């Protein structure tokens, strides 16, 4: 009774009949009975709807040749991958090794791809990366607008990527990604206390603006680009300020900033960036220096105001002297001047004319 084995193969199932651990035949849908008193037979049932044929003895199944019409065989080397499409939709990435895929009842399409190039490119990259299992095979790199990504593979520069979405094969070696900001960036150099040429300690706040044009140089030539720029600007600030007196700095701060920019641009030209501008934002004097400077400015302004008053007084006196000389040389003009004065008096007050002696009356009549 126990020597009879009964088995039922359902729809979308295939039975694998093994005898003495060797595949003898395939069992399609149906019911089967086997007389096996010596327990030499084994039947493994596989679901063809699962796409992949999973079995611990795939190599034996392949060598038997019985599954050639039923399955698609993938034998991938270490540097090979395969994209599997089921019914026109992306299904999975197959890694190195032996794989068997059921041909029916679904439509299977396989793309073999070499992973030796590390960088994976495909017209349907977004669809492939959207599948959750893809992240086990691919490393995704997303570069935002305004940035660049410098990719290193096994410590060697592989590719510099602009804004976009990229994928790289995993497992072949370590992948390192360095993001580089290509936008204009500002660095504040604040609270720098520097002694000027005339031994006065001043405090400066400066600002440096730069923009990277060579991401590879910016990512490899210096360990920390911002710290390197800060250090070079700080040194240039001390070098330039030490060659100016306080008066020179107050009068030509822009000239000092231009000299600083020239020095920093020369020192950082190999960093793969452009210096946009470098300027002295604040120049802070010591407290006692501020008081002295205010006193000097006040004295200078008072002297300028006094000079202007004296100049105006001199001009007024010179004008009066010229007028007196003109009236003295021209009696008729003098009489007209006197009439103008009488006219002004008559216009602002009551004028009474009293005639006395003939000589005075004649003078007044002649005057009028």
């Amino acid at each position: 009774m126990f020597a009879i084995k009964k088995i039922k193969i359902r729809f979308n199932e295939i039975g694998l009949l093994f005898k003495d651990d060797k595949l003898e035949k395939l069992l399609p849908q149906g019911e089967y009975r086997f007389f096996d008193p010596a327990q030499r037979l084994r039947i493994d049932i596989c679901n063809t709807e699962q796409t992949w044929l999973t079995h611990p003895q795939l190599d034996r199944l392949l060598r038997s040749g019985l599954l050639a019409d039923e399955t698609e065989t993938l034998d991938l080397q270490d540097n090979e991958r395969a994209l599997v499409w089921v019914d026109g939709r992306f299904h999975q990435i197959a890694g190195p090794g032996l794989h068997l895929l059921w041909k029916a009842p679904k439509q299977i399409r396989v793309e073999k791809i070499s992973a030796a190039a590390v960088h994976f490119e495909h017209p349907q990259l977004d669809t492939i990366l959207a599948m959750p299992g893809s992240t086990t095979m691919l490393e995704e790199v997303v570069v935002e607008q305004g940035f660049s990504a410098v990719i290193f593979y096994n410590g060697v520069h592989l590719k510099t990527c602009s804004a976009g979405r990229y994928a790289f094969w995993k497992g072949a070696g370590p992948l390192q990604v360095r993001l580089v900001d290509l936008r204009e960036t500002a660095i504040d150099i604040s609270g720098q206390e520097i002694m000027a040429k005339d031994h006065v300690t001043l405090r400066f706040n400066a600002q440096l603006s730069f923009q990277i044009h060579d991401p590879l140089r910016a990512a490899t030539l210096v360990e920390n680009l911002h710290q390197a720029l800060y250090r070079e600007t700080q040194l240039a600030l001390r070098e330039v300020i030490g060659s100016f007196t306080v008066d020179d700095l107050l009068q030509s701060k822009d000239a000092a900033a231009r000299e600083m920019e020239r020095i920093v641009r020369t020192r950082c030209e190999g960093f793969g960036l452009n210096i946009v501008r470098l300027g002295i934002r604040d120049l802070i004097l010591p407290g006692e220096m501020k008081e002295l400077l205010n006193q000097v400015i006040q004295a200078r302004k008072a002297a300028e105001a006094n000079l202007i008053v004296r100049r105006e007084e001199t001009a007024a006196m010179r004008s009066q002297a010229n007028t007196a000389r003109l009236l003295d040389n021209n009696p008729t003009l003098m009489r007209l001047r006197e009439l103008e004065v009488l006219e002004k008096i008559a216009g602002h007050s009551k004028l009474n004319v009293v005639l006395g002696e003939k000589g005075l009356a004649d003078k007044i009549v002649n005057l009028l």
Side-chain angles (χ1 to χ4, degrees):
M1 177 179 178
F2 293 101
I4 303 296
K5 288 185 177 180
K6 295 181 180 180
I7 191 73
K8 182 178 181 179
I9 308 298
R10 297 180 177 84
F11 177 71
N12 289 337
E13 288 182 342
I14 287 182
L16 306 178
L17 177 61
F18 289 87
K19 184 177 182 181
D20 295 333
D21 210 26
K22 178 182 178 182
L23 181 63
E24 291 289 331
K25 60 187 272 186
L26 303 181
L27 302 178
Q29 180 183 2
E31 294 184 1
Y32 301 89
R33 292 187 180 189
F34 300 95
F35 181 70
D36 185 22
Q39 299 293 316
R40 298 173 61 189
L41 299 179
R42 187 180 90 246
I43 300 172
D44 295 338
I45 299 176
C46 300
N47 188 347
T48 59
E49 289 186 339
Q50 292 182 349
T51 306
W52 302 89
L53 195 166
T54 56
H55 197 276
Q57 297 175 318
L58 281 181
D59 53 344
R60 291 188 180 184
L61 299 183
L62 185 62
R63 286 197 299 269
S64 70
L66 297 176
L67 292 168
D69 295 333
E70 304 293 333
T71 61
E72 177 86 22
T73 303
L74 286 177
D75 190 4
L76 302 176
Q77 303 301 315
D78 290 340
N79 63 343
E80 290 182 325
R81 306 291 185 270
L83 306 180
V84 179
W85 305 80
V86 178
D87 291 337
R89 293 185 293 272
F90 178 71
H91 177 68
Q92 189 176 337
I93 301 177
L98 181 62
H99 308 274
L100 296 179
L101 298 89
W102 295 108
K103 292 181 179 179
K106 300 177 181 179
Q107 183 181 2
I108 304 297
R109 180 169 63 89
V110 177
E111 292 182 55
K112 269 192 176 183
I113 296 176
S114 173
V118 183
H119 180 208
F120 171 65
E121 297 180 89
H122 197 276
Q124 293 178 274
L125 179 62
D126 292 340
T127 302
I128 295 171
L129 291 175
M131 188 62 64
S134 299
T135 56
T136 60
M137 292 284 187
L138 292 171
E139 182 168 344
E140 180 184 357
V141 176
V142 178
V143 184
E144 302 292 341
Q145 193 68 34
F147 288 81
S148 181
V150 183
I151 311 296
F152 297 89
Y153 175 70
N154 281 332
V156 180
H157 176 243
L158 174 67
K159 186 180 181 64
T160 300
C161 304
S162 57
R165 194 179 192 186
Y166 302 86
F168 301 88
W169 294 113
K170 287 183 177 180
L175 196 72
Q176 185 182 10
V177 180
R178 295 185 187 177
L179 287 178
V180 178
D181 193 344
L182 301 180
R183 300 170 298 179
E184 183 177 322
T185 306
I187 299 178
D188 289 327
I189 297 91
S190 303
Q192 302 296 310
E193 294 188 354
I194 305 172
M195 183 175 292
K197 188 176 181 180
D198 47 2
H199 306 293
V200 177
T201 301
L202 306 174
R203 190 172 183 179
F204 289 87
N205 294 327
Q207 188 176 67
L208 170 70
S209 297
F210 69 95
Q211 190 169 21
I212 294 174
H213 64 81
D214 190 336
L216 178 59
R217 283 190 173 188
T220 56
L221 291 184
V222 288
E223 180 180 359
N224 189 310
L225 184 63
H226 282 217
Q227 286 186 1
L229 286 172
Y230 185 94
R231 180 185 65 249
E232 295 298 338
T233 305
Q234 189 181 47
L235 293 174
L237 184 64
R238 294 182 179 278
E239 180 179 340
V240 172
I241 298 305
S243 63
F244 280 78
T245 63
V246 175
D247 290 338
D248 293 338
L249 285 172
L250 294 175
Q251 294 176 4
S252 56
K253 187 171 65 174
D254 292 339
R258 286 193 298 270
E259 179 63 17
M260 287 170 49
E261 181 176 337
R262 184 192 65 79
I263 295 174
V264 174
R265 193 186 303 276
T266 302
R267 292 177 178 174
C268 301
E269 61 182 358
F271 291 175
L273 54 86
N274 291 325
I275 302 298
V276 179
R277 69 182 66 86
L278 196 161
I280 298 175
R281 192 175 58 192
D282 300 309
L283 192 161
I284 304 171
L285 298 170
E288 61 275 10
M289 182 61 68
K290 285 183 181 179
E291 295 179 3
L292 291 174
L293 186 60
N294 288 334
Q295 293 176 6
V296 170
I297 293 174
Q298 290 177 0
R300 184 180 298 154
K301 294 300 180 183
E304 291 177 357
N306 189 40
L307 180 61
I308 292 173
V309 171
R310 295 292 179 264
R311 189 182 297 119
E312 293 298 325
E313 288 179 351
T314 302
M317 293 178 65
R318 185 180 294 110
S319 177
Q320 289 179 354
N322 292 336
T323 302
R325 190 179 302 109
L326 186 61
L327 293 177
D328 184 51
N329 296 332
N330 196 333
T332 304
L333 187 59
M334 179 64 181
R335 294 291 181 265
L336 291 174
R337 183 66 174 173
E338 292 173 351
L339 288 174
E340 289 178 0
V341 172
L342 290 174
E343 185 179 1
K344 289 180 180 179
I345 295 173
H348 292 86
S349 61
K350 185 176 180 182
L351 179 64
N352 294 321
V353 179
V354 179
L355 297 177
E357 297 179 358
K358 181 178 180 181
L360 180 59
D362 288 342
K363 290 182 180 180
I364 294 175
V365 171
N366 290 335
L367 181 61
L368 296 176

